[in-house]
Amino acid sequence: MSKCVPSCCFAQALVKLFLSGKGQELKDSLAAVRLFPRLQCLALSLGERGGQVNLGDLWPLSALEDLEVTGWERVELRGGSVLPQLTHLYLEGVGGIGIDASLPRLQQMRVYRTGSLVLGGAHLHVPQLSQLSLDGIQTAVVDWPALPQLASLAVFDCLEVTCSRLTALQHLTSLTLGPSWEDACTMLL
């Protein structure tokens, strides 16, 4: 006779979770995600574009290292230190993104097929961000001086990216621009 594992033990053991759904159904599931305090990897995939998600609501997930968010209309992450262990952030197919938070261990960020990105503000603190990839973004406003350790920057198929204060990137060793020379000239001027 097998024994069922009590839900409290299951919640303590889970380290990776992928949630996919539509609209309110997925948003309602976010409250339950907090039941997994050891969660290290989380993917939130919205089947059809729409809805808003505040990633700050995930603050109880203090062990979260990898976060992937796809398909939302609006993604926000604002405030103090909300995800202290987060090292990788991947955002795809989002209408608009606003990030103004302290992410002390974030090392890699990739933003793909997005309407707008604002990476900056009074609370933005990403002292370990070393790799940033922006691909297929209509408008990206980035506070470059707030990225003191950025070593690798890749920008592809972006219509508009802020270039002012790009020279503040003192540790930049790799710059990839494309696919056309016009993109490179726009970025560097």
Side-chain angles (χ1 to χ4, degrees):
M1 180 176 178
S2 65
K3 293 184 180 181
C4 291
V5 177
S7 62
C8 64
C9 295
F10 172 72
Q12 293 296 320
L14 190 68
V15 294
K16 187 173 185 178
L17 178 63
F18 179 81
L19 288 176
S20 180
K22 294 182 180 177
Q24 195 62 38
E25 169 186 291
L26 184 57
K27 195 166 185 176
D28 291 344
S29 299
L30 289 179
V33 169
R34 297 179 194 167
L35 298 174
F36 309 111
R38 289 188 167 179
L39 202 59
Q40 295 174 356
C41 182
L42 175 63
L44 303 172
S45 180
L46 195 58
E48 56 190 39
R49 194 161 173 179
Q52 297 184 35
V53 63
N54 180 356
L55 299 178
D57 291 343
L58 300 175
W59 67 266
L61 302 177
S62 60
L64 192 64
E65 296 174 2
D66 294 295
L67 179 58
E68 179 178 316
V69 180
T70 59
W72 296 83
E73 183 59 37
R74 182 86 190 146
V75 173
E76 294 283 334
L77 182 56
R78 302 197 180 277
S81 185
V82 288
L83 299 170
Q85 299 299 320
L86 191 68
T87 57
H88 297 90
L89 179 59
Y90 177 75
L91 303 159
E92 179 182 348
V94 176
I97 301 167
I99 299 177
D100 179 17
S102 179
L103 301 166
R105 295 194 183 200
L106 186 65
Q107 297 169 12
Q108 186 178 48
M109 182 174 168
R110 181 159 186 233
V111 182
Y112 181 65
R113 291 186 314 127
T114 295
S116 66
L117 166 69
V118 176
L119 182 60
H123 298 287
L124 184 66
H125 181 67
V126 286
Q128 293 187 30
L129 184 64
S130 60
Q131 297 177 357
L132 178 61
S133 177
L134 307 176
D135 191 347
I137 301 174
Q138 292 178 6
T139 304
V141 177
V142 180
D143 183 3
W144 299 112
L147 315 178
Q149 296 301 315
L150 194 66
S152 176
L153 173 62
V155 179
F156 296 98
D157 294 324
C158 295
L159 296 179
E160 185 179 337
V161 179
T162 56
C163 295
S164 64
R165 302 180 3 179
L166 189 60
T167 55
L169 299 176
Q170 299 298 310
H171 292 94
L172 192 65
T173 57
S174 174
L175 179 61
T176 306
L177 302 169
S180 71
W181 179 250
E182 291 174 0
D183 293 337
C185 290
T186 302
M187 184 70 181
L188 295 173
L189 294 177

